[in-house]
Amino acid sequence: MKKQKLSRDSVLNNFFGRPEIFADLFNTWIYDGEQVIRPEGLVPADRLLSETIGNSKGFVKLTRFRDIFKVYRDKDATYIMLGIENQSAIHYAMPLRNMIYDALALLARVRQKQKKHLALKDLKHPDEYLSRFSLTDHLDPVITLVVYTGSRPWDGPQSLHEMIKFPNEKLRRYVPDYFINLIVPVKLSEAQLAKLNTELCEVFGYIKYAKDKDLLYAFIRQHPKFQELSYDAVMAINVCTNAKIKLTTSKEEKINMCQALIDMKQEAWQDGHDSGWKDGHDSGWKDGHDSGWKDGHDSGWKDGHDSGW
């Protein structure tokens, strides 16, 4: 049976979905590198967000599917909903898209609390009956990070306000804004990369320097983890940079990127050498054959002509 090729989204979801990678990304961008979110406290959440919205006059079912979605719980009962959206292409409605994702996640939490109140019959105030949500209820934060690994510079909007054309600026303050947390590896500084504690540093660094071989090789030499990268990490590098680093079928395999690049350079040299030798051989043989045939033909014709004449 032929092995099915994983899509780019599947490869990146596998990599970013690993608890230690997921936690490292959020700790770096939310907590400036402080180890607040622990991998062991992450619990996979339902990626399918579906809610029915409406009233007695009609209903609409709104359904969305997230790339990666997890819930973080710690010993102090902290509850945070965390999501990652992988983008290989620019989505020009990303702020609105993320707003819907996050709103559906919050609405799901409201529904949970409403069901609990209905079961306990503990709502006392008339206004609480209306919403089935009490004065003391609260919602937990939902945070989404957008990781853009496309080749073109991101030129899309990064907030809802950037998507809206205001007839006059007085209206702007009355329209709630919503921004995206955008991460673009090629734009990361060395200081930002240094705050990453997992092989996410090596993956982002490879993406950042992929188009400059000298800077890429220097970065690889400075990071010993490249001598033992995971299968998932190298797969992520391949789909994001078209690196074509060879892998076996074993996901437990560790890849030495330094050796892999040496092998790739040797293969490229050998291919170039073989191709050049063949082209030179073929060209030389043809030129020699054509030249010899012409010289022989001209000389024979001339000798025969002169002698017969």
Side-chain angles (χ1 to χ4, degrees), residues 229-240:
L229 280 190
S230 70
Y231 180 95
D232 288 336
V234 178
M235 283 283 286
I237 287 173
N238 278 344
V239 299
C240 291

Side-chain angles (χ1 to χ4, degrees), residues 181-210:
N181 301 299
L182 181 66
I183 299 171
V184 184
V186 296
K187 294 291 186 180
L188 299 180
S189 66
E190 287 284 351
Q192 288 174 311
L193 288 173
K195 292 177 182 177
L196 293 165
N197 292 299
T198 64
E199 59 186 2
L200 185 58
C201 171
E202 283 67 35
V203 172
F204 277 176
Y206 196 106
I207 295 171
K208 176 179 175 64
Y209 297 118

Side-chain angles (χ1 to χ4, degrees), residues 246 261-279:
K246 291 182 179 179
L261 289 177
I262 291 173
D263 294 342
M264 288 171 66
K265 289 175 71 174
Q266 288 178 338
E267 287 182 12
W269 183 88
Q270 187 63 47
D271 289 344
H273 175 271
D274 293 346
S275 176
W277 186 89
K278 184 178 183 302
D279 290 345

Side-chain angles (χ1 to χ4, degrees), residues 3-134:
K3 187 177 179 181
Q4 187 176 6
K5 186 178 179 180
L6 290 175
S7 68
R8 181 190 182 106
D9 287 342
S10 296
V11 169
L12 295 181
N13 288 351
N14 287 340
F15 178 65
F16 287 112
R18 286 165 44 189
E20 71 278 12
I21 300 296
F22 191 94
D24 193 22
L25 186 63
F26 277 90
N27 281 329
T28 299
W29 266 264
I30 296 177
Y31 299 107
D32 200 31
E34 184 182 353
Q35 300 304 294
V36 175
I37 296 175
R38 302 291 178 182
E40 61 273 15
L42 291 166
V43 179
D46 193 350
R47 294 167 59 198
L48 178 63
L49 302 175
S50 182
E51 287 292 337
T52 301
I53 304 170
N55 51 35
S56 59
K57 296 181 179 180
F59 295 88
V60 175
K61 189 170 185 178
L62 190 59
T63 301
R64 293 292 185 273
F65 199 76
R66 305 212 62 166
D67 286 342
I68 309 170
F69 199 42
K70 296 179 185 288
V71 169
Y72 178 68
R73 295 189 182 96
D74 65 9
K75 60 183 180 179
D76 299 320
T78 299
Y79 188 99
I80 310 173
M81 293 175 282
L82 305 169
I84 294 176
E85 295 300 317
N86 292 309
Q87 288 297 127
S88 59
I90 301 168
H91 196 303
Y92 289 102
M94 201 69 200
L96 181 59
R97 182 186 181 192
N98 272 18
M99 186 173 70
I100 294 172
Y101 285 157
D102 296 348
L104 284 173
L106 291 169
L107 184 55
R109 291 292 286 162
V110 170
R111 298 283 194 244
Q112 292 173 5
K113 293 180 182 295
Q114 289 174 335
K115 289 179 181 179
K116 183 178 179 180
H117 288 309
L118 285 174
L120 296 176
K121 297 180 180 179
D122 60 350
L123 296 176
K124 298 181 175 62
H125 196 280
D127 291 338
E128 292 179 334
Y129 284 112
L130 177 64
S131 61
R132 298 196 298 276
F133 196 81
S134 76

Side-chain angles (χ1 to χ4, degrees), residues 160-229:
L160 187 62
H161 276 193
E162 291 180 42
M163 295 178 61
I164 298 173
K165 183 178 180 180
F166 292 97
N168 59 73
E169 284 301 307
K170 287 185 177 180
L171 297 180
R172 186 181 295 272
R173 62 176 295 190
Y174 298 101
V175 178
D177 200 2
Y178 201 89
F179 65 90
I180 60 174
N181 301 299
L182 181 66
I183 299 171
V184 184
V186 296
K187 294 291 186 180
L188 299 180
S189 66
E190 287 284 351
Q192 288 174 311
L193 288 173
K195 292 177 182 177
L196 293 165
N197 292 299
T198 64
E199 59 186 2
L200 185 58
C201 171
E202 283 67 35
V203 172
F204 277 176
Y206 196 106
I207 295 171
K208 176 179 175 64
Y209 297 118
K211 294 184 178 181
D212 189 320
K213 299 306 179 187
D214 291 336
L215 291 177
L216 176 61
Y217 294 150
F219 183 80
I220 290 174
R221 287 194 297 269
Q222 293 166 6
H223 292 77
K225 284 184 183 178
F226 272 111
Q227 296 179 23
E228 199 176 32
L229 280 190

